[in-house]
């Protein structure tokens, strides 16, 4: 399913994959969507044998809701694509919120529905939160379902004994669903603030709080009457809903001030700008005490913050605050005057105590503070064990953005260690994202990046599996190709020497040998116990195979078992991988590798082809032949481009290589090795012929025909000189 939905032509909304896998789950949570057949039931809901006319018809049962939430959670824990998670959760935010904030849930409902729904919302806001999405939940804080008469009416209701179900409101109009549960508003407000605090960044929380405060101030100013009026009329339904939304916003803002005050001031400049706007001396008289009290509370949070400095205040803003605080402190405002006087003294005290430190100390700018917060957020996304793959992928995206921006907030060594730990994961998409970040980091720090990758690829302490080491090999190849012609010097020498040590025949891994000895002893013990139990040889209880199938199976078993390390030697797959990476390095920048290491690499390949003809080492011989081919192609490219690399291939060396390849092409037991050998022979012969001719840019430097007696070649084969008349042919009688 993941492979289908990850493709745009199948997994986008409206495509067959979406309609088959995702749309039924969304319809189960939100019956207002177009009806589909899902989960083995039809869209008409569950039909009971006994029809109860005293209650509404059940559209979706508790079991179906629980199953849909379970499948959505499984899907999001398996997919690594943040955009796909946003597409799936985005259409059902209100419905998930209604389930996640269900009042007084029982243990079963809490475990099977409320917690999974809340986890889905956390994933959504971690990978793409915005003020509009948060405000969507605030405006639907007491959401119960679709209760508008012009639409399909349904609502969430409690299902006995401990569950939730979706019932139809078209047959029975239950007025209780339109009533507001004021006791549950506090619970929903606390749940929302907790969700926002754990899922959103401090900057996002602060920005959302400032938006709510600005909306509240605008409503207070707009609702302030010019003169007292008494007007009795029944509120319109739309106006009543608007007033409820404003009430929810105020309730959320109050909860944020009570529970997460430290996150409201992450953007100090924005908070100070709003406070100065409220406490402007020109409009201070028209402000209500409630607004002034909120502004003073925010100012108190800012001034008492450990990161607050005088430089955060602009001269004009500082003057506005001092004037307003003095005016409020000396005025007759019992609720705000004491607070204003205390804040005025505190502001003056902070000015006197921190003046010298601010002049000499380092004050990070806004960009540095933002980058540092982004870096901390990315690290938390990646390192938290309970984060699903989309969240970890979003953390890698944040790290990638900081690398491309050349941010100073990055701790390069810590990022390298973190990326190396992620390579231990078996999630292919995460590994590919990590490799991409490695290549981006190599542009800025090639030595540190290549050293970190090589340490895990070589694995001197023998802690990693072969699959993990091969993933680091892929990362190393990508880094080499990304470096291009800058792959030279100490970096190229260190990389090539390490690869040669892995590809050689003398690699020894003592811990691997000891582990293999222990495993062999355990196998012998198990075999002896089985023989004792069977009173002889253990029979083969598997399916009977034909002679041809048995021969094929034996060959495959021999090859696969031969790949593994024997008596502490290096794994054949690792040796083949090292030769393949060496071939890529030569193709990328052969002159950066150097003549000595290139010669050692070619000699190693010739020795592999000569001394290791075993069937299980076919992949090693293929890699050796391809390395020679890459070397020949690199020489040909250098000759065609006129680039001098300082070394080449002598006639004696070429003849030795040709002799070995000709023997391999007719005697090797691997068909691919034979084919590769023939291709290299053809390339060597073509390159030998090409070396007899001058390179493309040196065609004019070679010997040429200057002229013959009584024959002007330049006029016959060349173009005429400027101003010279072309010869004319005339008919003579």
């Amino acid at each position: 399913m993941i492979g289908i939905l990850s493709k745009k032509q199948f997994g986008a909304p409206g495509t067959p994959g979406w309609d088959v896998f995702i749309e039924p789950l969304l319809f189960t949570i939100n019956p207002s969507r177009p009806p589909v057949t899902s989960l083995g039931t039809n869209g008409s809901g569950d039909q009971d044998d006994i029809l109860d006319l005293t209650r509404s018809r059940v559209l979706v049962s508790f079991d179906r809701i629980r199953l849909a939430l379970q499948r959505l959670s499984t899907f999001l824990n398996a997919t690594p694509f943040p955009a796909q998670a946003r597409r799936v959760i985005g259409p059902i935010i209100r419905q998930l919120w209604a389930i996640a904030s269900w009042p007084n849930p029982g243990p079963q409902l809490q475990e099977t529905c409320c917690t999974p729904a809340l986890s889905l919302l956390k994933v959504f806001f971690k990978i793409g939160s915005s003020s509009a999405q948060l405000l969507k939940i605030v405006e639907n804080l007491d959401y119960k379902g679709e209760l508008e008469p012009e639409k399909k009416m349904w609502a969430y209701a409690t299902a006995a004994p401990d569950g939730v179900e979706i019932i139809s409101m078209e047959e029975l109009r239950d007025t209780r669903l339109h009533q507001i549960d004021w006791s549950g508003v506090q619970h929903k407000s606390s749940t929302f603030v907790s969700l926002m605090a754990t899922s959103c960044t401090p900057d996002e929380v602060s920005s959302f709080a400032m938006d709510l405060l600005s909306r509240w101030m605008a409503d207070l100013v707009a609702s302030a009457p010019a003169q007292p009026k008494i007007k009795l009329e029944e509120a319109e339904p739309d106006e009543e809903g608007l007033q409820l939304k404003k009430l929810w916003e105020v309730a959320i803002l109050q909860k944020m001030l009570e529970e997460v005050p430290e996150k409201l001031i992450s953007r100090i400049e924005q908070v100070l700008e709003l406070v100065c706007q409220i406490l402007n001396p020109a409009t201070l008289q028209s402000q209500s005490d409630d607004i002034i009290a909120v502004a003073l509370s925010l100012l108190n949070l800012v001034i008492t913050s450990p990161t607050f400095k005088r430089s955060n205040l602009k001269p004009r803003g500082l003057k506005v605050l001092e004037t307003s605080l003095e005016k409020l402190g000396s005025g007759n405002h019992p609720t705000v005057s004491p607070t204003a006087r205390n804040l005025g003294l505190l502001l003056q005290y902070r000015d006197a105590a921190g003046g010298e430190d601010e002049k000499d100390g380092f004050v990070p700018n806004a960009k540095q503070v933002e980058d540092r917060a982004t870096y901390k957020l990315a690290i938390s996304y990646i390192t938290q064990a309970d984060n699903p793959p989309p969240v970890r992928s979003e953390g890698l995206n944040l790290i990638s953005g900081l690398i491309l921006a050349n941010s100073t907030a990055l701790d390069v060594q810590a990022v390298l260690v973190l990326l190396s730990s992620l390579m231990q994961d078996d999630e292919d998409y995460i590994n590919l994202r990590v490799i991409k970040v490695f290549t981006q980091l190599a542009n800025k720090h090639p030595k540190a990046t290549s050293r970190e990758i090589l340490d895990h690829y070589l694995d001197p302490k023998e802690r990693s599996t072969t699959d993990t080491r091969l993933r680091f090999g892929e990362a190393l190849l990508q880094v080499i190709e990304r470096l291009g012609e800058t792959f030279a010097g100490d970096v190229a020498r260190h990389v090539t020497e390490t690869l040669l040590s892995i590809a050689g025949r003398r690699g020894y891994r003592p811990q691997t040998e000891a582990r293999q000895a222990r495993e062999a002893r355990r196998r012998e013990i198990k075999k002896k116990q089985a023989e004792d139990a069977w009173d002889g040889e253990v029979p083969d209880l598997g399916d009977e195979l034909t002679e041809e199938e048995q021969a094929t199976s034996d060959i495959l078993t021999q090859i696969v078992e031969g790949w593994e390390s024997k008596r502490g030697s290096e794994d054949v797959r690792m040796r083949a991988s090292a030769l393949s990476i060496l071939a890529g390095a030569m193709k990328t920048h052969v002159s950066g590798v150097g003549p000595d290491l290139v010669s050692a690499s070619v000699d190693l390949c010739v020795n592999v082809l000569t001394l290791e003809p075993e069937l299980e080492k076919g992949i090693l011989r293929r890699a050796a032949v391809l390395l020679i081919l890459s070397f020949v192609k690199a020489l040909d490219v250098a000759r065609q481009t006129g680039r001098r690399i300082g070394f080449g291939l002598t006639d004696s060396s070429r003849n030795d290589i040709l002799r070995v390849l000709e023997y391999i092409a007719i005697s090797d037991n691997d068909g691919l090795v034979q084919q590769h050998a023939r291709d290299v022979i053809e390339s060597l012969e073509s390159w030998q012929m090409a070396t007899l001719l001058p390179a493309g840019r040196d065609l004019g430097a070679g010997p040429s025909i200057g002229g013959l007696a009584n024959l002007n070649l330049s006029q016959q084969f060349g173009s005429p000189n400027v101003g010279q008349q072309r010869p004319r042919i005339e008919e003579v009688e």
Side-chain angles (χ1 to χ4, degrees):
M1 181 179 72
I2 303 301
I4 295 175
L5 295 176
S6 61
K7 298 179 175 60
K8 184 177 181 180
Q9 62 269 31
F10 300 119
T15 58
W18 177 277
D19 293 339
V20 171
F21 294 110
I22 301 300
E23 194 61 44
L25 303 179
L26 301 184
F27 176 77
T28 302
I29 304 298
N30 180 13
S32 296
R33 298 180 67 85
V36 292
T37 302
S38 64
L39 304 178
T41 62
N42 53 28
S44 61
D46 299 338
Q47 301 294 334
D48 297 331
D49 295 336
I50 301 176
L51 182 62
D52 188 359
L53 298 178
T54 62
R55 61 192 303 265
S56 300
R57 179 168 58 93
V58 176
L59 295 178
V60 183
S61 65
F62 168 63
D63 292 334
R64 290 179 57 194
I65 294 177
R66 177 179 57 186
L67 183 58
L69 290 174
Q70 179 184 354
R71 290 183 175 179
L72 284 174
S73 301
T74 303
F75 170 73
L76 290 183
N77 286 328
T79 179
F81 305 105
Q84 197 171 57
R86 286 193 290 267
R87 286 197 301 267
V88 172
I89 305 177
I92 54 173
I93 289 180
R94 296 183 302 165
Q95 290 75 26
L96 290 177
W97 167 249
I99 299 174
S101 61
W102 196 261
N104 301 321
Q108 180 183 2
L109 179 59
Q110 179 69 37
E111 180 182 358
T112 59
C113 292
C114 296
T115 301
L118 189 61
S119 300
L120 292 174
L121 288 175
K122 287 182 179 179
V123 170
F124 179 79
F125 286 115
K126 280 184 178 180
I127 62 179
S129 61
S130 63
S131 296
Q133 298 292 350
L134 293 172
L135 189 61
K136 187 176 182 180
I137 292 185
V138 173
E139 293 177 347
N140 297 273
L141 192 67
D142 197 39
Y143 181 81
K144 298 185 180 71
E146 296 295 340
L147 303 178
E148 299 180 5
E150 61 272 10
K151 296 182 180 179
K152 179 181 180 180
M153 298 181 63
W154 58 269
Y156 290 101
T158 303
D162 183 17
V164 62
E165 60 187 8
I166 299 178
I167 61 175
S168 173
M169 296 300 298
E170 296 178 353
E171 295 86 356
L172 298 176
R173 304 301 176 96
D174 192 351
T175 57
R176 292 176 298 175
L177 290 173
H178 295 273
Q179 298 176 358
I180 300 175
D181 183 12
W182 296 105
S183 61
V185 171
Q186 294 296 326
H187 167 71
K188 289 180 176 291
S189 301
S190 299
T191 304
F192 175 77
V193 173
S194 176
L195 169 66
M196 182 173 54
T198 56
S199 305
C200 303
T201 64
D203 288 346
E204 292 170 346
V205 174
S206 178
S207 178
F208 178 67
M210 294 303 103
D211 290 343
L212 288 184
L213 187 58
S214 301
R215 292 164 63 92
W216 178 56
M217 288 176 51
D219 292 337
L220 287 180
V221 172
S223 61
Q227 57 184 0
K229 293 182 180 180
I230 299 177
K231 188 176 182 180
L232 299 177
E233 63 179 9
E234 186 177 356
E236 296 292 334
D238 294 342
E239 184 179 353
E240 182 180 356
L242 183 60
Q243 295 299 327
L244 285 177
K245 292 179 181 179
K246 296 178 181 179
L247 181 61
W248 304 147
E249 294 177 6
V250 174
I252 293 298
L253 185 59
Q254 181 181 359
K255 279 293 180 182
M256 293 176 67
L257 289 172
E258 293 175 357
E259 298 183 6
V260 288
E262 69 283 353
K263 292 192 175 184
L264 302 183
I265 58 171
S266 60
R267 292 187 175 182
I268 294 181
E269 293 81 3
Q270 186 178 2
V271 177
L272 289 176
E273 182 180 355
L274 182 60
V275 170
C276 292
Q277 180 182 353
I278 297 174
L279 300 181
N280 190 350
T283 59
L284 190 60
Q285 296 294 337
S286 61
Q287 302 288 0
S288 65
D289 289 349
D290 293 336
I291 296 180
I292 295 176
V294 172
L296 293 179
S297 298
L298 292 175
L299 183 60
N300 180 44
L301 292 174
V302 171
I303 296 178
T304 56
S305 173
T307 59
F308 174 75
K309 296 182 181 298
R310 297 278 297 185
S311 58
N312 298 131
L313 286 171
K314 298 179 181 179
R316 182 177 178 276
L318 179 61
K319 184 178 180 180
V320 167
L321 289 179
E322 290 177 345
T323 304
S324 300
L325 291 176
E326 182 180 358
K327 187 175 182 180
L328 288 174
S330 60
N332 186 16
H333 299 275
T335 57
V336 298
S337 293
T339 305
R341 286 193 295 269
N342 294 334
L343 286 176
L345 294 175
L346 182 59
L347 184 61
Q348 184 179 2
Y349 170 76
R350 290 296 296 264
D351 185 19
E356 295 297 329
D357 295 337
E358 290 179 4
K359 294 179 181 179
D360 301 333
F362 170 73
V363 180
N365 55 34
K367 177 63 175 175
Q368 292 172 336
V369 173
E370 183 180 357
D371 288 351
R372 193 174 303 170
T374 303
Y375 176 69
K376 292 175 61 178
L377 179 66
I379 296 298
S380 65
Y381 279 2
I382 296 173
T383 56
Q384 288 181 4
D386 57 342
N387 280 339
V391 178
R392 285 185 291 163
S393 179
E394 184 66 20
L396 290 174
N397 290 337
L398 295 176
I399 292 289
S400 176
L402 292 176
I403 294 174
L404 295 178
N406 201 17
S407 174
T408 58
L410 280 175
D411 185 349
V412 177
Q413 195 59 41
V415 171
L416 288 173
V417 172
L418 179 62
L419 295 177
S420 299
S421 65
L422 289 177
M423 290 290 283
Q424 312 289 335
D425 198 348
D426 293 332
E427 182 63 49
D428 292 338
Y429 182 81
I430 298 297
N431 293 331
L432 293 176
R433 294 289 297 119
V434 170
I435 291 175
K436 182 178 180 181
V437 177
F438 266 132
T439 58
Q440 293 172 347
L441 201 58
N443 286 338
K444 312 292 183 180
H445 309 278
K447 288 186 178 180
T449 305
S450 60
R451 188 184 305 113
E452 179 70 21
I453 297 176
L454 278 176
D455 288 343
H456 288 83
Y457 185 62
L458 180 61
D459 190 26
K461 297 183 180 179
E462 305 180 37
R463 295 178 178 176
S464 302
T465 62
T466 301
D467 292 339
T468 302
R469 296 176 65 192
L470 290 175
R471 286 196 287 267
F472 278 101
E474 177 64 25
L476 181 60
L477 179 59
Q478 296 286 341
V479 167
I480 292 174
E481 293 177 350
R482 186 67 174 263
L483 291 177
E485 294 188 359
T486 61
F487 180 69
D490 293 338
V491 174
R493 179 183 56 80
H494 183 48
V495 169
T496 308
E497 289 177 352
T498 304
L499 293 175
L500 285 174
S501 66
I502 296 175
R505 302 178 60 198
R506 297 184 179 182
Y508 179 63
R509 303 176 70 82
Q511 297 182 19
T512 302
E513 183 180 12
R515 186 181 67 253
Q516 291 173 347
R518 291 193 299 268
E519 293 175 354
R521 287 194 296 269
R522 283 196 294 267
R523 286 195 299 268
E524 289 295 332
I525 293 174
K526 290 182 179 180
K527 182 179 179 180
K528 187 176 184 305
Q529 292 175 351
E531 290 177 350
D532 293 341
W534 284 92
D535 292 332
E537 185 178 357
V538 180
D540 186 6
L541 302 179
D543 297 335
E544 295 185 0
L545 302 176
T546 63
E547 293 183 0
E548 183 179 357
E549 292 175 345
Q550 185 64 40
T552 303
S553 177
D554 293 341
I555 293 175
L556 293 177
T557 302
Q558 178 185 353
I559 292 175
V560 174
E561 291 180 352
W563 285 347
E564 298 179 357
S565 172
K566 295 180 179 179
R567 295 186 297 275
S569 62
E570 185 62 86
D571 194 291
V572 176
R573 290 166 292 182
M574 291 302 305
R575 296 179 61 192
S577 171
L579 288 179
S580 300
I581 298 173
L582 267 176
M586 290 186 183
K587 187 182 299 184
T588 301
H589 195 208
V590 66
S591 60
V593 178
D596 296 336
L597 294 176
V598 169
S599 177
S601 302
V602 175
D603 291 343
L604 175 62
C605 293
V606 172
N607 292 331
V608 166
L609 295 174
T610 306
L611 303 176
E612 302 188 53
E614 293 85 357
L615 180 64
E616 60 271 15
K617 294 184 179 179
I619 58 173
L620 184 62
R621 296 194 299 276
R622 296 174 199 170
V625 175
L626 292 178
L627 188 147
I628 298 175
L629 179 61
S630 298
F631 173 58
V632 175
K633 287 185 176 180
L635 293 179
D636 185 59
V637 170
R639 188 194 65 83
Q640 291 181 1
T641 57
R643 186 178 58 185
R644 299 184 181 276
I645 59 177
F647 57 91
L649 189 61
T650 62
D651 292 338
S652 60
S653 299
R654 183 176 63 251
N655 293 332
D656 292 340
I657 295 174
L658 282 173
R659 184 177 64 254
V660 173
L661 291 175
E662 289 172 353
Y663 176 76
I664 292 296
I666 60 176
S667 64
D668 199 272
N669 53 19
D670 191 303
L672 281 178
V673 175
Q674 293 181 357
Q675 182 62 43
H676 290 334
R678 287 192 289 267
D679 294 340
V680 177
I681 291 172
E682 183 180 354
S683 298
L684 274 173
E685 293 175 349
S686 300
W687 178 78
Q688 183 180 4
M689 294 295 297
T691 55
L692 300 178
L693 299 175
R697 58 182 293 181
D698 297 332
L699 287 175
S704 60
I705 300 176
L708 297 176
N710 300 324
L711 182 62
N712 191 348
L713 294 177
S714 61
Q715 292 185 0
Q716 293 185 15
F717 301 102
S719 58
N721 297 329
V722 178
Q724 181 180 359
Q725 295 183 354
R726 297 176 61 87
R728 293 181 300 175
I729 301 176
E730 297 181 357
E731 183 179 358
V732 180
E733 296 182 357

